[in-house]
């Protein structure tokens, strides 16, 4: 037997069982409700007949004297005739008291019947049920209760009134629930067996129909699919040979067409894979070239004790548009660059290399940061057909004094730490990004670093790093992370921030490069 046949059989069996269970439940619930309704009417018919037949004015007399007379024995025989000829388990009359009930009549003829005046404690919920019955509008509802002595019983009760219309006693019958349940179970078993036979025959015929019309054709399609790989190698074509006149035959025809298309796809895919491998190799080379353009050796200037510097760049793709740079303009001036090119991938990387080269070229002419940004902006705008731009923070550190002269072309705010303080954001003046508009002017400002001060510059990939909940890392977390490691070296600071960012984002895809630079000014010793 094939797997699909076993699954089909399990499905047919499950469907049959579902139909069987649902039908049996529906019939069973309906039968149970009807049967309980019938028992309710029957039991309350007995109790109301007894309540109407019994003279309520005699109840108090019997309670006081506890003596039987002819009327008492007549009622006893009346109740016993009902109990012996019906499904009633117990038929009795009692008077409820606060802590117990007092029997007046008990139709039971067996040893252990309760005599006149016998007192008994209430069964579970018996007290509440008894006093709820002692009113003219008491609902006619069977009370099902379980007692260690009498077992599971369904109790029907009706009040007995005296000539003044006052309830003085209760006529009650107990129906044996095990007997009712036994009748119900027998009925359900007969129904289940009947339904099972009908469902079994119907499902067998259904399975035979499904086997011939679906399973066999599907097996042919499965065999053809298994042999497809071998057919591709040998050049043979598949032919499931299905003629059912329905959708399966159409599927067989589609399968043959799919095989032909797959052969063409494999050829095209082989060509694409070769091309992709070539592009991948070129991207690796481009990644390495880009990395080589950035300062990668640390410590960068081990002979210079006046400062310590460290930087890193993690691209969102194989190659990125962010870049950092630092280089000596002369022996006492260190240029610092942090930039972010619009876009990602190879175009951004090419634009980045051009912008980096021009920034360094004009910085080495020893002009001010303001002039460097204005000149580079003009050069980029001369031939910027792709309308790309780059945000730049550019500063020149005068090593002998700790003074930084800087200009900002639309880049993120730098973050400064004083020698004995925390990292704080410096909201400097922003100009327009380079390449955005020709003829732009930029403003310079100064930052005075004291020995022990630190500078942290970065791209928007840090605060805009996003986790799976679409939550940003943000500037507040950036400051908090920096201040948690504020006394460490620039390298340790950069690595700590990087770990915090990537731990925050987790497995969420990132669409921006993460680039950072940290400088500690130690002063001249």
């Amino acid at each position: 037997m094939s797997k699909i046949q076993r699954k089909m059989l399990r499905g047919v069996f499950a469907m049959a069982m579902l139909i069987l269970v649902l039908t049996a439940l529906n019939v069973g619930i309906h039968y149970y409700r009807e049967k309980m309704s019938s028992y309710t009417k029957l039991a309350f018919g007995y109790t109301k007949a007894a309540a109407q037949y019994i003279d309520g004015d005699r109840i108090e007399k019997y309670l006081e004297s506890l003596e039987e007379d002819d009327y008492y024995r007549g009622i006893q025989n009346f109740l016993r005739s009902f109990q012996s000829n019906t499904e009633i388990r117990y038929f009795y009359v009692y008077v409820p008291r606060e802590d117990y009930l007092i029997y007046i009549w008990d139709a039971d003829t067996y040893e252990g019947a309760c005599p006149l005046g016998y007192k008994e404690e209430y069964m579970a919920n018996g007290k509440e049920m008894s006093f709820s019955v002692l009113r003219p509008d008491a609902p006619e509802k069977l009370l099902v209760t379980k007692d260690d002595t009498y077992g599971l019983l369904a109790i029907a009760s009706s009040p007995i009134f005296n000539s003044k219309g006052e309830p003085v006693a209760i006529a009650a019958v107990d129906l044996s629930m095990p007997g009712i349940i036994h009748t119900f179970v027998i009925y359900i078993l007969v129904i289940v067996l009947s339904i099972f036979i009908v469902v079994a025959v119907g499902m067998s015929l259904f399975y035979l129909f499904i086997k011939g019309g679906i399973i066999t054709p599907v097996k042919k399609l499965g065999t053809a699919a298994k042999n497809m790989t071998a057919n591709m190698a040998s050049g043979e074509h598949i032919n499931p040979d299905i003629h059912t006149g329905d959708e399966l035959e159409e599927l067989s025809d589609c399968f043959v067409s799919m095989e032909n298309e797959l052969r063409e796809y494999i050829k095209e895919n082989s060509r694409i894979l070769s091309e992709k491998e070539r592009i991948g190799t070129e991207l690796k080379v481009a990644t390495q070239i880009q990395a080589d353009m950035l300062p990668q050796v640390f410590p960068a200037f081990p002979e210079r004790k006046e400062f310590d510097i460290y930087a890193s760049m993690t691209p969102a793709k194989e190659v990125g548009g962010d870049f950092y740079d630092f280089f000596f303009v002369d022996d006492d001036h260190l240029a610092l660059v942090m930039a972010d090119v619009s876009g990602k991938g190879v175009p951004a990387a090419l634009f980045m290399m051009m912008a980096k080269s021009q920034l360094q070229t004009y910085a080495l002419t020893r002009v001010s940061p303001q002039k460097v940004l204005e000149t580079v902006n003009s050069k980029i705008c001369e031939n910027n057909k792709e309308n790309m731009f780059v945000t730049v923070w550019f500063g020149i550190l005068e090593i002998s004094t700790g003074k930084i002269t800087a200009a900002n072309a639309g880049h993120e705010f730098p973050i400064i730490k004083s020698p004995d303080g925390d990292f704080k954001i410096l909201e400097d003046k922003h100009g327009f990004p380079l390449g955005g508009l020709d003829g732009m002017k930029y403003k310079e400002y100064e930052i005075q670093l004291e020995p022990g001060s630190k500078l942290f510059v970065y791209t928007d990939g840090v605060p805009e790093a996003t986790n799976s909940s679409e939550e940003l890392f943000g500037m507040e977390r950036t400051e908090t992370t920096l201040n948690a490691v504020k006394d460490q070296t620039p390298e340790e600071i950069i690595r700590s921030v990087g770990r915090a960012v990537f731990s925050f984002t987790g497995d969420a895809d990132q669409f921006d490069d993460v680039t950072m630079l940290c400088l500690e000014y130690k002063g001249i010793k």
Side-chain angles (χ1 to χ4, degrees), residues 22-44:
L22 292 177
T23 306
L25 281 174
N26 184 49
V27 173
I29 291 172
H30 180 74
Y31 174 78
Y32 178 78
R33 289 176 177 172
E34 290 295 324
K35 199 66 177 175
M36 290 304 293
S37 176
S38 173
Y39 278 118
T40 299
K41 292 178 182 178
L42 178 67
F44 279 99

Side-chain angles (χ1 to χ4, degrees), residues 61 125 190 318 330 490:
K61 172 188 171 183
N125 300 323
V190 172
E318 288 85 354
D330 56 40

Side-chain angles (χ1 to χ4, degrees), residues 362-383:
Y362 289 105
L364 291 174
T365 62
R366 300 186 182 184
V367 296
S368 67
Q370 169 190 347
K371 189 63 177 176
V372 170
L373 294 185
E374 291 174 355
T375 304
V376 173
N377 179 61
S378 297
K379 292 296 181 181
I380 292 176
C381 290
E382 286 177 2
N383 188 22

Side-chain angles (χ1 to χ4, degrees), residues 253-495:
D253 295 339
C254 292
F255 205 81
V256 173
S257 299
M258 183 186 69
E259 182 206 17
N260 295 328
E261 293 177 3
L262 185 59
R263 291 177 186 274
E264 293 300 319
Y265 172 78
I266 291 174
K267 292 179 182 178
E268 180 64 16
N269 194 51
S270 297
R271 184 190 66 78
I272 292 174
L273 285 175
S274 298
E275 182 68 14
K276 191 174 182 179
E277 288 178 2
R278 182 187 65 78
I279 293 174
T281 301
E282 292 178 357
L283 281 175
K284 288 181 180 179
V285 174
T287 302
Q288 188 58 48
I289 291 173
Q290 183 184 34
D292 291 343
M293 288 193 65
L294 304 180
Q296 295 287 315
V297 178
F298 296 100
F301 310 107
E303 72 283 359
R304 302 301 296 259
K305 306 302 180 182
E306 303 96 327
F307 63 91
D308 187 12
I309 191 169
Y310 191 84
S312 71
M313 195 269 283
T314 304
K317 295 186 176 182
E318 288 85 354
V319 288
D322 287 6
F323 68 92
Y324 65 85
D325 200 2
F326 50 85
F327 50 89
F328 279 105
V329 176
D330 56 40
D331 191 57
D332 192 38
H333 291 86
L334 178 70
L336 305 169
V337 181
M338 179 59 62
D340 185 358
V341 175
S342 61
K344 297 292 175 287
V346 173
L350 294 174
F351 194 85
M352 161 256 176
M353 286 186 279
M354 180 270 293
K356 177 182 178 299
S357 177
Q358 290 200 13
L359 283 167
Q360 186 173 22
T361 298
Y362 289 105
L364 291 174
T365 62
R366 300 186 182 184
V367 296
S368 67
Q370 169 190 347
K371 189 63 177 176
V372 170
L373 294 185
E374 291 174 355
T375 304
V376 173
N377 179 61
S378 297
K379 292 296 181 181
I380 292 176
C381 290
E382 286 177 2
N383 188 22
N384 188 16
K385 296 179 181 180
E386 301 300 324
N387 295 318
M388 298 184 73
F389 60 87
V390 56
T391 66
V392 179
W393 182 90
F394 180 70
I396 295 178
L397 169 65
E398 190 173 51
I399 300 171
S400 59
T401 64
K403 181 180 71 174
I404 295 178
T405 304
N408 193 327
H411 197 72
E412 306 295 316
F413 296 127
I415 304 177
I416 309 296
K417 175 193 174 300
S418 59
D420 298 321
D422 291 337
F423 276 100
K424 293 182 180 180
I425 296 173
L426 175 62
E427 296 185 1
D428 59 358
K429 297 178 181 179
H430 279 193
F432 211 68
L434 304 186
L437 187 64
D438 195 9
M440 291 301 300
K441 300 297 182 181
Y442 297 90
K443 295 183 179 181
E444 292 181 348
Y445 63 93
E446 294 181 354
I447 304 171
Q448 183 60 52
L449 301 182
E450 302 297 334
S453 297
K454 291 175 183 175
L455 166 71
F456 180 81
V457 286
Y458 53 95
T459 60
D460 57 4
V462 175
E464 294 181 7
T466 308
N467 62 15
S468 57
S469 301
E470 300 295 325
E471 182 182 9
L472 297 179
F473 188 73
M475 289 304 301
E476 184 176 345
R477 283 192 182 88
T478 303
E479 277 193 276
T480 301
T481 304
L482 285 169
N483 286 317
V485 292
K486 63 183 179 180
D487 295 326
Q488 296 186 10
T489 65
E491 179 178 358
E492 291 167 338
I493 290 173
I494 294 291
R495 294 189 184 279

Side-chain angles (χ1 to χ4, degrees), residues 164-329:
K164 297 179 181 180
E166 300 171 340
V168 294
I170 295 174
V173 298
D174 293 351
L175 301 175
S176 176
M177 287 300 290
I180 297 174
I181 294 172
H182 178 73
T183 303
F184 174 71
V185 170
I186 294 298
Y187 178 80
I188 290 297
L189 288 176
V190 172
I191 292 296
V192 168
L193 182 60
S194 302
I195 296 173
F196 179 79
I197 293 173
V198 172
V199 170
V201 173
M203 289 297 117
S204 298
L205 295 175
F206 176 72
Y207 172 73
L208 292 176
F209 169 76
I210 292 296
K211 180 181 179 182
I214 297 179
I215 294 178
T216 300
V218 169
K219 286 177 65 178
K220 289 183 178 180
L221 285 173
T223 301
K226 289 180 180 179
N227 296 333
M228 181 177 290
T229 303
N231 290 343
M232 290 293 175
S234 63
E236 297 180 10
H237 289 269
I238 60 175
N239 183 17
D241 192 27
I242 296 175
H243 305 285
T244 57
D246 54 19
E247 287 80 358
L248 284 174
E249 184 174 347
E250 294 178 5
L251 180 61
S252 174
D253 295 339
C254 292
F255 205 81
V256 173
S257 299
M258 183 186 69
E259 182 206 17
N260 295 328
E261 293 177 3
L262 185 59
R263 291 177 186 274
E264 293 300 319
Y265 172 78
I266 291 174
K267 292 179 182 178
E268 180 64 16
N269 194 51
S270 297
R271 184 190 66 78
I272 292 174
L273 285 175
S274 298
E275 182 68 14
K276 191 174 182 179
E277 288 178 2
R278 182 187 65 78
I279 293 174
T281 301
E282 292 178 357
L283 281 175
K284 288 181 180 179
V285 174
T287 302
Q288 188 58 48
I289 291 173
Q290 183 184 34
D292 291 343
M293 288 193 65
L294 304 180
Q296 295 287 315
V297 178
F298 296 100
F301 310 107
E303 72 283 359
R304 302 301 296 259
K305 306 302 180 182
E306 303 96 327
F307 63 91
D308 187 12
I309 191 169
Y310 191 84
S312 71
M313 195 269 283
T314 304
K317 295 186 176 182
E318 288 85 354
V319 288
D322 287 6
F323 68 92
Y324 65 85
D325 200 2
F326 50 85
F327 50 89
F328 279 105
V329 176

